[in-house]
Structures are given as C-alpha cells and as structure tokens.
Amino acid sequence: MTTLILNLIRQGGQFASNAGVPGAIVRLVEMSLVMAAVMAFALIVTIVLIYVERKTWAYMQVRIGVIRVGPKGILQPVADGIKLLLKESVTPSNADRVLFRLAPIIVVVPALMAYIVIPFGDGLIAKDLNVGILYILSVSSVGVLGIIMAGWASNNKYSLLGGMRSAAQIVSYEVPVVLALLAPVLQSGTLSMTGIVEQQAGGFWHWYAFKPPFHLAAASLIYLIGALAELNRTPFDLPEAESELVAGYSTEYSGMRFAFFFLAEWMNMFLLAGIATTLFFGGWQAPLSFLQLPGRLGSFVWFFAKTWVLMFVVIWIRATFPRFRVDQLMEFGWKYLIPAGLAIILITGLVVLWS
Amino acid sequence: MGPQHPSTHGVLRLILRVDGEYIVGVTPDLGYLHRGMEKLAEERTFIQYIPLTDRFDYLGSMFNNMVFCRAVEMIAGIEVPERAEYIRVIVMELNRIASHLVFFGAFGLDVGALTPILYAFREREKALDLLEMVSGGRMTFNYMRFGGVRADLPPDFAKHARVFLDEIDERVAEYHGLLTGNEIFEIRTKGIGILAPERAIAVGVTGPMLRASGMPFDLRRKEPYSIYDRFEFDIPTGKNGDTFDRFVMRLEEIRQSARIVRQALERIPDGPIQSKTPKNLKPPAGDAYARVESPRGELGAYLVTDGGAKPYRFHLRPPSLSNLQSIEDLCVGMKIGDLVVILGSIDIVLGDVDR
Amino acid sequence: MSEEQKEGAGTLEEKAAPPPPKNPLEERLNASFGDAVRTRYNRQGDLEISVRPEKSSELFGLLIGDAETPYDYLRNLTAIDWKDRLETVYHLCSTPTMTNIVVKCELDRGEPAVDSATRFWPGANWLEREVFDLFGIKFNGHPDLRRIMLPEEWQGHPLLKDYIMPED
C-alpha cells in the first residue's frame, strides 16, 4: 500500500517537473504527500495494534476480549477513536493554556518524524538519511518535553508528579538505549539505516542479534528493555499506575488531546520495534535467502512480520510482569543497564578491531 | 488517599504524612462503611439477624454466620449434630479458599501484574458455584442456623467438589509459577512491611498476618472449635513477617483448606442437619464470646442476652480492624510505592472494619 | 473452645456440668485486691473478674506481667449499656497456655470513665476509640481519644440504649 503510494508520488513528481512546474513546488508537494502517507501508515498500524493488543491480552487472561463491534470486534479501535474524537476537550481553568494545548502535539510529532527513516522494505524508506540513527535518537528525545509540559500545565499535583516521574524514567533510560544502539553502528560502520540492514543480508545468522559472539544480542536485550521504559510500559509503567497517580501526566486531558497521547504511545511502540528489527534482526531480510519474497512488497512483509513478533513480546511482557517501584526502576537503569551498555560497546569495538 | 481509590480495597481513607518519597505517618480514617450493624442486632430477633451477619466480612460470609450461631449455641446450650458440623467445616473452608483467591488476585493488581486476578477469579467462580449449590448464594449465604445448617448438601456435591479440589492444587502451583518466583515481584515484596511477632500480638493482629511473622497461631489448632481437631492439616508459618511471606502463606492455606475439605467429604456421616431448636428462640440470660479463624484472622462474636427474643448486645470482634491498626508500624520508613503493596498484604475487608 | 458448658435454661436438655478447672490466678487476685475484685467462672469455664474502675490498671498490670500465664493478647474490648450503668468488657488470652480470662468493669452512667488499657496492649487504641465513639466512655490516658467510625462533629453516642436517632 505504502509502496504503491510512494511510487505514485514519485512518478507524479517526475511527471510534474517534466511538465514544467517549478522544482521547488514539486518537491514541496512531494514531501507533503510522503508525510501524509507515512502518517496514514502510522495511524493504521496504531489502530491494528490496539486491537491486537487487546485480543492478545484477553486470551492470555483467559477471556475473549472485544467481540461486539464489527466481526470479531475488529472495528473496536475505530469505535474508540471516534469516541475520543467526539469527546469534549476540557481544559482545566487554572491550566497554562498554551503549554496545555502544545503538549500533546510535542509528544506525537517526534514519533511521526522518526517514521521517515525506518526502512520498511527494500527501497521503502521515506528518506534515507545517512545519519539515520542519529536523527532518530535526537528526534525521539524531544517527546520528553511534551510529557513534562503536560504534567506542569495541568495544574494538578498528580499530573505533575506523574509527569516528573515519566520524564525521569525516560531520560534515565535514554542512555542505555543510546549505548545499545551504538553497538550495531560500530559493528556496521554506518549510521544509515539501510546501510545497517544491508550488512545483515544472507540469512539469519548474519543478523546482528544472532551473530557470534552474541555481543549484539546483549545489546538488543538492553535496547528492548530500555525501549519498554521509554514507552512507559510494564514493567516500567509506574507513572501510569492508577494505584497512586490516577493517570499520571495525562490525567487532565480528554478528547482529542488525550487521543494524541494514546496515539503517541502506540506509534512509539511500533517505531521502537521497527528500530529493533532494523538494527538487530535484519530489517527486511528473510531468515533464509531463498525465502526472500520478490519485490518491495515481499521485503515489506518480512519487516512487518518481524516487527509484529517483537511487539507481541512486548504485549506478552505487559500481561505477565508486575511493575517496578520508581527507585528500583532508576536503580536498574543507572546501576545495571548503563555499565552493561558500556561493556558491550567495548566488546563490540574489540570484535570489530579483531575482524 | 481518599475513600475512592482503586487500591484501598474498599472505602478506606488514609492520611499520609510524607517526607519526599518516604512515609512518616499513616492515619486511617474509618467509618465510611459504618452501617450500625451492632445497633441493628438489638432490634432483630436472633434468626432475623443471621442474614445481616453475612454482610460483615462479605468475602467470608460463612464465618460470620458461624461465629454468630456459635455464640447463640454457647449461651443456649444447643448441640450441633455431626453431619451439620462436617457441612459447616466444608463450606467454611471453601469460603476460605474463595477469599484467599480474591486476595491473590487483588494483590497481583496492587503489584502491577494484571493477569493473576483473572486466573484467581476463574477458580473462584468454581468455588462459588459449589457454595451456591449448597446455600443458594454466591457471596452472602445466610446458610447457618442455630444448631446446624439450613439445607443439606445436594447429592452430586461431593463429585463436583472433588473435581474442584484436584484442580485447585494444580492451580496454586501455577500461581506460584506466575508470581512467586518472578524477580520483580520479589523485589517489590521481600523485606517490605515487616511486622515483629511480639508487636503483632500486642497490637492484636491475628490470622495470616500473625502467622507470617512466625507465630503459628491458628485458632483451628490452638483452640479447636467445631470438629477441627479431627482433621489433619498444616499451619503455614512465615519466617520474616514481610509481605512476601504473607502472600506465600495465603496460597499455602488454600492448599491446606483443600486438604481439610477432602477429608471432610470422606468422613461425613449421615444424620440430621439441624438439631431441634424452637423457631422463636429465647436463650437464657448470659453472655458468650465465640471465635473462629476467618481468612483474615480471629473473628469473634460477643453476645449478651437477657432472656428475650432479641440480643441485648452483640459485638463483632473484627479481625480486619486490629490488623489494620498495625499499618502505621508497617509503613513508617517505607516508600509511597510500598504502601499499596503493604495494604494489599494486610487483606482487609471494610465491611469488617467499619461494620 | 472444644467443650461447651451447658446450663439448664428451661428450653433445652440439662446436663450435669463438670466443675470448671480453677485458674490459679484467682486466689492471688482475691488476696491482693480484696473487695475491689469479684471472681466467678462463666459458662465456658473461663475466669471472669469484675473489677472496680479505679483498680483496673493495677489489675491489667498484674495480668500482663504474670509469670506463668502472661495475658499478652487482648482479644476483644467492648462495652455494654445496662441502662442503669455501663460496663466495659475485656477478653484476654495468654498465648503460651491459651487460658482465657474476662474482665468486666462497671462504670457510672453519668460520667463514665476508666483508665486506658493502651499502655498494656497497644491494640486497645482503636478498640477504645470505638467504645468512646459509640458509648461515650472516656479512657483516661488514651493517646488519641477521638471518634473513629462516626464523623468528628457527630453528637451523641449511638449504641446507648436511650440514643435517639436524628431526624435526617
């Protein structure tokens, strides 16, 4: 779907510039259309993800889950979305209006921006920056600002507390995530996302996660754990734990703004799973070379499948584990993950030097 | 933490004094569920009051019934036939299993594990089905009468009960696998909320909390009532008195209760299920303090009669009230995140605390 | 309780009750307290001590400090309104031997007050607050004597026999 649209856009662009439309406008329109396509993709994935998560959870919890809206409940997320859109967006009277309205946007936009450099398939990347990973890391860090703004602007002590906690958690776990992502960069020698995927061609034993001496497997673990913390998901979901803080930084939000926070979480989930797939699990490469399906759609299928496996693991973890207490969470990140990350970079460096 | 809160197990209000993350003082504010049950007792005849007793500790209604009936039987000198005693033991232990399952599920929620409660409630449904077979009710049974029970066990009860009992043993092993061995769970519960045994007795704490602190004090052993001295069962005792011990012990108690029910089903004799008692019972003047080991601790009934058809004074000795009194001891010096876990491990029922 | 003592009450069968085992404390109590204390055995065979309010603390101290049977466990603390007087009732247990004792204390209805038991059994704290809340009995020396079940502003003590329900 995306491939088709991207192709159409590119061909349309060429057609237009051949017809004499000034290059700048062509590029502008092209870029906007690409952005729209990426956004649409992100939204669709989110919708599907919501449904899959609820059903998976349900079955793990010995229940059936959503069954009423649409055949087997498929339209449930659509119903949720419509509900949120139609709800009144209440702004608390003492809230800081500007920040309150800005916060959800600042949380969602970086997630969307990062989608641009994910290689969904062979050649299916909105823009292949040669500093792809750097771009992703910098852009996703901006999301934290939105959370702090939300907590502060709500003028509610629970929100503030939740916002601070979330922010502290995310910022603390940025470090191990960055360290973990540096390992494949060192290994492959390039910051470009497609570059890294190409280095993993040939079969699943070339994938970084399965490459002996498995230093990168450790890096992938650290990355996944850090990603869970970034997403504020169990076992790191204390900021959302209603046992103390009602709904944390998003307590005062309703309607569309609340929907934005929600969307941001799911989009980030797909994003982080996608990054893990790209850097550690071979991106759009098939596990065995002859299984590689033809064309762009084929590579997209592999990428998609792997990302969904990772997301399933994330959902699985949420259904199973209890949650950490705040100080334990911080301790774990700073005292264990960061030294581990540093050690892995050291080892990776040695391995690269060796070979 | 106000009366409406997802984690206070009922309408309990806790006033916390905190210093940063650390708890300096806890003052519970009770009475939100105070219904004047003791005053009501003075306005109802004895038999009219039995359904009201169900509502004290509503997760262990059989025990409330039992303790009230025993108090009346002690004063009036009513003997209970053998078969009725066996039936009483069976339903009480099934009720204990159901109550501990609720504890298990709710405690999982408090710690952040979202799945155990569904497993627990699946089992509880089966236990409640058994109790419904016998008494017609699922939570408030109104089943015991002075001198026996209201109705006999249905003919296929033993068969269904045995199926359930076999299953519950496997399930408890499953629950251990799900939560007890989980590192995050252990970090959240070990060493938290420690209660020393001498302090426990001085404060009046009884039941699983006391046993978790190391004192094997179970009324079924120490002061056997009904026919408990005929059954073989162990008294699980903890070592450290922390929340982890309390959790593990209650799961063990489920197993032991299942053991008792199995033995009772094997040995139950035929016979009448209620001794002949006048419908309008007028016990002689006097007083008695009857007590049973309920899932929360020592449940006592102090009954004063004046020869009339209504109690002169009825006081229920609430296990949850005394257990809750220890909360300040348990929480001082702990962090806010631990409060919910500790409160969950005390396992209170507000109907008991407030009456 | 594994046995119940039955007393013929006119409604049900009479059985000859075996004499209750004596509690060794009884003689010592009668000796040290004399008139301030009356002892009897209740239907369940437990020693029941009626003590005058002024002497209650002394009695508690003796009970909790007893060498052979320290009464370390306060099982129950409540009160009864006998219309012409109030009475506080304490059920105590010595956990090493599982001997039970009942202490009763008759109080004047006009200004009911008795010493608090919290210094002997910290668990008495909330139990006494409840009695204060519902009966109006004051416990001298209680660290925090205020209502527990009813709101602070409530007037009256509901469990008294002459309590009148407010209109709303």
Side-chain angles (χ1 to χ4, degrees):
Chain A
M1 189 176 30
T2 333
T3 63
L4 218 55
I5 297 178
L6 283 177
N7 279 343
L8 278 173
I9 294 175
R10 294 226 170 84
Q11 279 164 10
Q14 279 192 306
F15 182 70
S17 50
N18 287 347
V21 181
I25 297 191
V26 170
R27 265 201 298 283
L28 197 64
V29 173
E30 218 177 274
M31 284 198 292
S32 328
L33 287 175
V34 166
M35 261 318 294
V38 168
M39 276 170 63
F41 178 69
L43 279 172
I44 292 174
V45 160
T46 306
I47 289 184
V48 176
L49 186 52
I50 294 179
Y51 175 75
V52 167
E53 168 153 25
R54 285 173 75 159
K55 277 302 233 189
T56 313
W57 261 33
Y59 280 108
M60 285 184 180
Q61 292 175 341
V62 208
R63 12 174 223 113
I64 317 181
V66 290
I67 49 172
R68 296 209 186 278
V69 187
K72 299 225 191 251
I74 297 186
L75 295 179
Q76 179 70 37
V78 176
D80 283 339
I82 297 180
K83 175 200 81 168
L84 281 173
L85 283 175
L86 292 178
K87 274 204 175 168
E88 185 188 348
S89 263
V90 178
T91 311
S93 47
N94 286 333
D96 186 328
R97 302 194 96 80
V98 174
L99 288 181
F100 189 79
R101 288 175 183 169
L102 209 48
I105 303 179
I106 296 200
V107 170
V108 167
V109 169
L112 284 175
M113 284 170 74
Y115 271 77
I116 296 181
V117 295
I118 306 283
F120 294 112
D122 191 359
L124 279 179
I125 185 170
K127 189 74 186 162
D128 184 15
L129 295 177
N130 54 3
V131 287
I133 296 191
L134 187 60
Y135 170 77
I136 289 183
L137 287 173
S138 9
V139 150
S140 44
S141 310
V142 176
V144 186
L145 277 179
I147 294 181
I148 300 184
M149 279 165 62
W152 168 257
S154 299
N155 195 33
N156 172 345
K157 59 179 180 285
Y158 289 124
S159 298
L160 188 59
L161 207 53
M164 288 297 134
R165 278 204 181 147
S166 267
Q169 182 179 312
I170 294 181
V171 165
S172 313
Y173 278 81
E174 289 272 352
V175 184
V177 163
V178 168
L179 290 175
L181 289 184
L182 278 182
V185 169
L186 268 180
Q187 180 76 33
S188 64
T190 164
L191 279 172
S192 148
M193 300 285 265
T194 33
I196 295 183
V197 173
E198 273 157 15
Q199 298 257 337
Q200 301 179 59
F204 67 88
W205 51 93
H206 285 292
W207 295 353
Y208 284 163
F210 300 129
K211 215 176 161 68
F214 298 113
H215 52 290
L216 288 170
S220 72
L221 272 176
I222 296 184
Y223 175 72
L224 282 171
I225 297 176
L228 280 177
E230 299 269 309
L231 289 169
N232 276 347
R233 284 186 75 93
T234 328
F236 301 106
D237 67 346
L238 200 62
E240 301 178 343
E242 71 299 337
S243 43
E244 310 157 31
L245 299 170
V246 193
Y249 57 85
S250 53
T251 310
E252 294 285 345
Y253 284 89
S254 53
M256 194 58 208
R257 302 204 179 105
F258 182 67
F260 270 8
F261 282 118
F262 230 52
L263 279 178
E265 180 174 332
W266 299 130
M267 283 197 230
N268 266 314
M269 193 164 140
F270 185 79
L271 186 70
L272 292 171
I275 296 176
T277 310
T278 310
L279 293 175
F280 295 105
F281 292 99
W284 40 260
Q285 311 274 10
L288 297 165
S289 15
F290 61 86
L291 285 174
Q292 186 70 39
L293 297 172
R296 294 189 164 157
L297 200 57
S299 55
F300 177 69
V301 163
W302 277 115
F303 174 84
F304 215 51
K306 289 184 225 172
T307 312
W308 276 103
V309 167
L310 283 178
M311 289 201 286
F312 175 74
V313 170
V314 170
I315 297 175
W316 191 0
I317 293 181
R318 184 170 186 194
T320 316
F321 282 95
R323 66 173 72 99
F324 276 115
R325 202 175 60 204
V326 167
D327 60 311
Q328 290 163 346
L329 189 155
M330 300 295 250
E331 194 181 322
F332 183 60
W334 288 92
K335 287 197 199 166
Y336 295 96
L337 283 190
I338 293 186
L342 289 170
I344 290 188
I345 294 199
L346 199 60
I347 298 179
T348 311
L350 288 173
V351 168
V352 169
L353 262 180
W354 211 273
S355 51
Chain B
M1 279 170 77
Q4 307 122 317
H5 196 286
S7 288
T8 52
H9 296 263
V11 278
L12 174 67
R13 183 166 169 241
L14 291 173
I15 303 175
L16 299 171
R17 277 185 302 284
V18 289
D19 175 14
E21 271 288 310
Y22 286 93
I23 298 178
V24 167
V26 180
T27 314
D29 183 11
L30 308 176
Y32 284 92
L33 200 53
H34 182 72
R35 296 155 288 178
M37 299 278 261
E38 299 186 355
K39 185 85 178 174
L40 279 174
E42 299 169 14
E43 322 261 327
R44 301 272 181 289
T45 63
F46 288 94
I47 193 132
Q48 281 176 336
Y49 195 63
I50 299 184
L52 287 175
T53 59
D54 279 330
R55 273 88 179 155
F56 282 118
D57 171 2
Y58 40 76
L59 288 179
S61 299
M62 286 296 184
F63 296 94
N64 304 330
N65 277 175
M66 173 74 168
V67 84
F68 180 64
C69 290
R70 267 187 58 75
V72 171
E73 287 158 12
M74 277 160 89
I75 296 185
I78 304 176
E79 257 199 53
V80 181
E82 283 281 298
R83 187 173 172 84
E85 293 276 30
Y86 274 90
I87 295 181
R88 279 182 172 182
V89 168
I90 290 174
V91 293
M92 282 202 292
E93 293 305 317
L94 283 175
N95 207 185
R96 191 190 307 274
I97 295 178
S99 170
H100 280 332
L101 283 171
V102 173
F103 160 76
F104 167 68
F107 192 66
L109 275 184
D110 288 334
V111 180
L114 305 164
T115 315
I117 187 165
L118 289 142
Y119 291 179
F121 272 63
R122 174 188 58 185
E123 261 59 81
R124 183 167 178 253
E125 276 304 302
K126 299 180 188 143
L128 292 183
D129 280 343
L130 287 173
L131 288 167
E132 189 183 359
M133 238 190 257
V134 177
S135 70
R138 281 160 54 91
M139 199 162 99
T140 51
F141 307 109
N142 185 17
Y143 182 58
M144 304 216 183
R145 295 283 180 272
F146 309 121
V149 295
R150 193 182 96 225
D152 205 343
L153 300 175
D156 51 351
F157 177 82
K159 183 169 56 106
H160 290 292
R162 288 204 178 94
V163 168
F164 170 70
L165 293 171
D166 289 333
E167 210 187 316
I168 199 79
D169 271 336
E170 285 168 31
R171 293 282 175 250
V172 171
E174 202 178 287
Y175 301 155
H176 277 301
L178 185 57
L179 270 190
T180 317
N182 184 309
E183 281 82 18
I184 302 182
F185 182 75
E186 289 189 2
I187 284 187
R188 285 303 296 277
T189 55
K190 279 199 174 157
I192 307 286
I194 297 186
L195 184 65
E198 316 75 44
R199 181 78 191 156
I201 277 285
V203 173
V205 167
T206 50
M209 269 191 87
L210 180 59
R211 293 196 282 280
S213 294
M215 257 186 92
F217 189 86
D218 185 329
L219 287 178
R220 297 174 289 174
R221 265 289 148 70
K222 291 268 181 174
E223 278 189 338
Y225 53 94
S226 185
I227 46 168
Y228 275 102
D229 45 359
R230 301 189 202 173
F231 297 112
E232 255 181 54
F233 58 100
D234 298 322
I235 308 288
T237 316
K239 288 189 289 287
N240 307 321
D242 56 11
T243 52
F244 183 75
D245 277 347
R246 289 179 211 132
F247 172 79
V248 169
M249 273 187 44
R250 287 193 175 104
L251 284 183
E252 265 315 298
E253 285 191 5
I254 295 182
R255 276 212 184 104
Q256 298 304 320
S257 289
R259 235 172 122 184
I260 297 179
V261 178
R262 262 197 212 102
Q263 293 170 44
L265 282 174
E266 271 169 46
R267 302 185 205 162
I268 185 170
D270 294 320
I273 49 158
Q274 192 184 358
S275 59
K276 294 227 174 310
T277 12
K279 274 230 182 325
N280 202 4
L281 182 67
K282 288 200 174 68
D287 66 352
Y289 178 62
R291 49 248 181 213
V292 298
E293 178 76 23
S294 88
R296 270 145 265 289
E298 172 177 332
L299 180 66
Y302 180 59
L303 182 64
V304 180
T305 51
D306 62 353
K310 302 185 187 165
Y312 187 78
R313 167 95 176 99
F314 175 69
H315 171 74
L316 194 89
R317 187 265 185 211
S320 302
L321 185 75
S322 301
N323 290 354
L324 189 59
Q325 227 182 146
S326 65
I327 193 164
E328 187 141 7
D329 279 313
L330 295 176
C331 286
V332 169
M334 296 279 138
K335 305 193 172 69
I336 299 185
D338 295 321
L339 174 69
V340 175
V341 173
I342 294 175
L343 190 59
S345 75
I346 304 182
D347 191 19
I348 55 171
V349 171
L350 263 298
D352 213 12
V353 173
D354 289 340
R355 284 154 287 135
Chain C
M1 305 262 296
S2 51
E3 305 187 60
E4 296 154 356
Q5 317 282 2
K6 297 164 194 38
E7 247 182 63
T11 43
L12 298 144
E13 12 176 294
E14 304 208 9
K15 267 197 188 170
K22 295 270 175 200
N23 191 325
L25 223 49
E26 193 188 5
E27 288 157 22
R28 271 181 279 156
L29 287 176
N30 278 323
S32 19
F33 286 89
D35 253 352
V37 141
R38 277 191 331 269
T39 60
R40 62 177 272 261
Y41 284 90
N42 70 8
R43 208 178 268 132
Q44 288 86 46
D46 299 328
L47 179 63
E48 199 177 283
I49 308 172
S50 304
V51 70
R52 292 243 282 275
E54 323 77 71
K55 291 285 190 177
S56 66
S57 282
E58 221 181 295
L59 177 65
F60 290 148
L62 198 136
L63 288 174
I64 199 175
D66 186 64
E68 290 150 18
T69 53
Y71 285 89
D72 52 347
Y73 175 30
L74 173 68
R75 297 183 101 136
N76 185 27
L77 196 168
T78 186
I80 309 174
D81 180 1
W82 292 110
K83 298 204 174 109
D84 55 344
R85 65 196 190 283
L86 294 174
E87 188 177 42
T88 50
V89 180
Y90 306 79
H91 285 88
L92 299 167
C93 175
S94 172
T95 52
T97 57
M98 290 312 286
T99 341
N100 292 297
I101 258 185
V102 185
V103 176
K104 293 189 180 177
C105 200
E106 285 189 3
L107 305 173
D108 177 42
R109 206 149 193 280
E111 286 280 344
V114 70
D115 285 343
S116 168
T118 46
R119 42 191 258 254
F120 304 105
W121 300 280
N125 192 319
W126 284 9
L127 303 175
E128 286 179 351
R129 275 178 67 188
E130 184 179 335
V131 171
F132 168 67
D133 190 2
L134 300 173
F135 283 94
I137 298 178
K138 292 207 173 43
F139 290 91
N140 307 323
H142 190 283
D144 180 23
L145 193 63
R146 55 192 169 93
R147 291 190 183 263
I148 188 171
M149 299 293 174
L150 300 171
E152 293 286 340
E153 329 73 68
W154 195 270
Q155 299 295 323
H157 300 281
L159 271 178
L160 294 173
K161 293 288 182 183
D162 57 358
Y163 179 74
I164 304 192
M165 296 288 189
E167 278 308 295
D168 51 28

